[in-house]
Amino acid sequence: QDALESNNQDALLYQNYQKSREKLISFEESSSTIIKIAEMGNVDALVQMGGYHSLKIGENPHPNATKALEYYNTAAENGSAVAMYRLGMIYKYGTITDVDKRWYVSFKNIVRIDEKIAFDWFKKVLEANHQESIYMRADYRDSLYTAIKDTYYQLSKIYKDGKVVPQDKAKAKELAEYANFDYILSQKYSYMKD
């Protein structure tokens, strides 16, 4: 209640996340809270709603790629690097992951796979000094740190392949090293050390 009264959106999101995780509230209750926070302009809530609609398993009875894409686009337009990363993945793979796609909806019916658009989204992730909320730090899957590490990896694959940009194996290797070394990331994004 204190978090709500003080409009502490991070605290509200984290509290909602914990209650949902511990099955103390239903999916509908959790979604309702997140939507209210998203309506306040909170990009983390927008990313989380995109995630809910992307997931085919769990408590979401109605995954919806169109709604997920809308949430990710809105969050990216408002500066969310995690949303930018997810959009890069969607345009590169047709889903938000390149690992275990069976858990996530396909976006292939609503977006055309386009590695150039994916490349542009991945570049945007690294262009600004994005800040990560306390809430996002608590959820490793949605963390900015994870998005940045995998963005370096995805960009290294694009440079190695040479279809979208001229092939540059040295650049690909450098980006792959960034993806693998926590020290480099912690120096580039020093506020993440906390």
Side-chain angles (χ1 to χ4, degrees), residues 2 5 14-15 28 45 69 81 102 105 108 119 126 137 139 159 164 169:
D2 291 339
E5 289 172 6
Y14 184 73
Q15 183 181 56
E28 289 77 17
L69 191 63
R102 66 189 166 136
V105 297
K108 291 180 181 177
F119 177 77
L126 302 179
R137 288 183 192 181
D139 187 0
Y159 277 102
V164 173
K169 291 184 180 183

Side-chain angles (χ1 to χ4, degrees), residues 115-116 119-120 123 155 157-168 171:
E115 202 161 342
K116 172 68 173 111
F119 177 77
D120 291 341
K123 282 184 11 185
L155 286 170
K157 288 170 58 174
I158 292 170
Y159 277 102
K160 184 177 180 183
D161 185 45
K163 290 180 185 174
V164 173
V165 294
Q167 187 177 47
D168 186 337
K171 179 86 171 168

Side-chain angles (χ1 to χ4, degrees), residues 3-4 19 24 40 43 75 105-106 108 111 154 173 184 192:
L4 185 59
K19 285 180 179 179
L24 300 175
M40 293 180 208
V43 295
V105 297
S106 172
K108 291 180 181 177
V111 299
Q154 296 301 327
K173 183 179 179 185
I184 293 170
M192 297 170 125

Side-chain angles (χ1 to χ4, degrees), residues 2-30:
D2 291 339
L4 185 59
E5 289 172 6
S6 66
N7 196 26
N8 185 337
Q9 296 170 7
D10 277 348
L12 288 169
L13 280 171
Y14 184 73
Q15 183 181 56
N16 187 66
Y17 169 75
Q18 290 293 26
K19 285 180 179 179
S20 176
R21 207 169 154 207
E22 295 170 16
K23 309 282 189 231
L24 300 175
I25 57 174
S26 70
F27 175 79
E28 289 77 17
E29 290 173 295
S30 177

